Amino acid sequence: MGRLVKRAAILVLPLALAACFGSAGDRPSVIDAGPQPFPDNFRSDTLALMRSYLNNPVGVRDASMAEPVLREVGGRQFYVSCLHFTPRETDGSYKGMRERVVVFVNGRADRVVDRANELCAGAVYAPFPELEKMAR
């Protein structure tokens, strides 16, 4: 009987592991199937995410952020917040302003989306000086 259990475990283990990993199209991952909570700490969460998103977080200019609103992302409703900012390039120069979307999953900043056109339509921006003051 011990061998049978081992064989069953060997057959079931790959299926169990496959369930843990999804393709990039499966993101964002949702722990709870219910409605998404409002991201209470959206400003500080966004700063933490942007610190890792930007190659050089020092010297960001013209930063502004919109309050999080519910939008459909990947067929589900998530809170998103739109950002405008001008990052310093690797050569120290500044090019055009960027518009990005921060997607919040389960009340936490999950990822930055480059394609912000539809998600940020009608967004009302307010200054976001904390993004301009970031250090390494």
Side-chain angles (χ1 to χ4, degrees):
M1 179 114 154
R3 291 170 105 170
L4 182 60
V5 171
K6 285 182 185 178
R7 286 184 183 175
I10 290 171
L11 292 173
V12 173
L13 183 61
L15 294 173
L17 289 175
C20 294
F21 300 103
S23 67
D26 293 340
R27 286 197 64 173
S29 60
V30 182
I31 295 171
D32 177 39
Q36 290 291 303
F38 184 82
D40 292 323
N41 300 316
F42 67 92
R43 293 177 83 83
S44 59
D45 279 1
T46 298
L47 283 174
L49 186 62
M50 292 302 288
R51 184 168 276 111
S52 64
Y53 174 78
L54 294 169
N55 290 331
N56 180 7
V58 179
V60 172
R61 293 182 179 169
D62 308 317
S64 58
M65 180 179 195
E67 291 278 324
V69 295
L70 278 172
R71 295 276 194 254
E72 186 172 316
V73 179
R76 298 264 338 259
Q77 293 286 315
F78 294 99
Y79 278 96
V80 300
S81 182
C82 298
L83 296 174
H84 275 165
F85 61 95
T86 305
R88 182 182 296 181
E89 302 297 326
T90 54
D91 65 0
S93 68
Y94 289 91
K95 295 185 179 161
M97 180 171 284
R98 308 241 172 100
E99 183 175 50
R100 299 292 186 261
V101 176
V102 176
V103 178
F104 296 89
V105 176
N106 297 320
R108 302 292 308 227
D110 184 67
R111 64 183 165 142
V112 178
V113 177
D114 293 342
R115 296 177 308 272
N117 297 348
E118 295 173 16
L119 294 172
C120 291
V124 177
Y125 292 90
F128 190 26
E130 299 93 329
L131 188 61
E132 296 174 9
K133 295 175 185 172
M134 279 196 309
R136 285 194 188 261

